[in-house]
Amino acid sequence: MMNVTLKQLRYFEALTRHGHFGRAAEASSISQPALSQQIKELEAELGVILFERSARQVRLTGFGEDVAGRVSDILRSVDELGDLARSAQDRLVGRLRIGVIPTIAPYLLPTLLGRLSDLHLDLDIHVRETLTPRLIRELADGQLDCAILALPVSDPAFTEVALFSEAMVLVRPGDQGGMPVPTADELRETRLLLLEEGHCFRDQALSFCNLGAARPREGLDGSSLSTLVQMVGAGIGVTLIPEMAVPVETRSASVALARFDPPEPGRTVGMIWRKTSPLATRLTQIADVVRDSADHLRALRASTSVI
């Protein structure tokens, strides 16, 4: 019988993900020599070399690649045992790993985390903010319990729950506030500032303008909505932002806001989780809290007449 430990498998997974002993050790909260020793013991137990080592990089051998898929399945199954035990309790307890895309996280999380903490005192919430493709990959690998992002994802492995819809808002330099709102066709002829590639909100904005992957004119690709709005305030161009971002991103910028004529461009925000997750019932409760938090923010915007 082989004496392979779960600890060794988790270190193997960390080294596979980071491709570097130092970074893998840091992510695993152990010393680099200790992690290296555990990997050597795993290779000795299996009788096969799992990693090619060089001064700058560590990569899987052919056999290591075969092992990686099995290890991922094993660790996901072990984690789901814990989830199964948590799901059997009458309240939400323990660790909850939530992924959120960057065009939602700064605006929704303060309200959402406060409400979750008030409603579920024993919940240990871990938040991961990153782009949609990475959230989907980490959710599938069992590194996240759920993700809040723009729908649809259309992956049969996930349950999708639509939570709310919101409009895209046009942001223009302050001196253009009295001008007519451009149509999608007219917007294609402007200097449209967009998020860099990889952001789903960029794709949604391009879709509204019927641009595909093309750009109308040379502009600026930003890493955040904040950067784009500040560039608009400096008179460089115009941009689109989601409605929930308006109060935060426009409070210190000299910009004018406008709504498009119906049908307004927009997005549907939802939550997804693995269909196999034992926490499905509990995650449905979390989804309700996300929806309530978004409704609360919408009511605040309406009461302050931001737009």
Side-chain angles (χ1 to χ4, degrees), residues 6 9-10 67 69-79:
L6 283 175
L9 297 184
R10 292 198 186 278
V67 170
R70 299 291 184 91
V71 169
S72 179
D73 290 341
I74 291 168
L75 294 179
R76 182 165 56 247
S77 296
V78 170
D79 288 340

Side-chain angles (χ1 to χ4, degrees), residues 209-249:
C209 299
N210 196 25
L211 289 170
R215 293 295 302 275
R217 295 183 181 178
E218 183 180 353
L220 177 144
D221 289 348
S223 61
S224 70
L225 294 177
S226 179
T227 298
L228 297 183
V229 172
Q230 293 301 320
M231 293 300 98
V232 172
I236 293 177
V238 303
T239 193
L240 304 178
I241 65 174
E243 193 175 359
M244 69 165 61
V246 168
V248 174
E249 302 300 353

Side-chain angles (χ1 to χ4, degrees), residues 201-214:
F201 194 79
R202 170 194 175 94
D203 300 333
Q204 291 153 4
L206 288 172
S207 176
F208 169 64
C209 299
N210 196 25
L211 289 170

Side-chain angles (χ1 to χ4, degrees), residues 46-113:
L46 294 174
V48 181
I49 299 299
L50 299 172
F51 294 96
E52 296 178 18
R53 297 153 169 90
S54 67
R56 294 186 177 182
Q57 189 178 18
V58 178
R59 59 170 58 91
L60 288 167
T61 63
F63 182 78
E65 291 179 355
D66 293 337
V67 170
R70 299 291 184 91
V71 169
S72 179
D73 290 341
I74 291 168
L75 294 179
R76 182 165 56 247
S77 296
V78 170
D79 288 340
E80 287 183 351
L81 281 177
D83 292 341
L84 187 62
R86 290 162 59 200
S87 69
Q89 301 187 43
D90 59 1
R91 69 187 192 283
L92 281 164
V93 297
R95 183 182 58 178
L96 179 68
R97 301 163 299 175
I98 302 176
V100 192
I101 58 174
T103 56
I104 294 176
Y107 320 113
L108 181 62
L109 282 180
T111 299
L112 173 60
L113 295 181

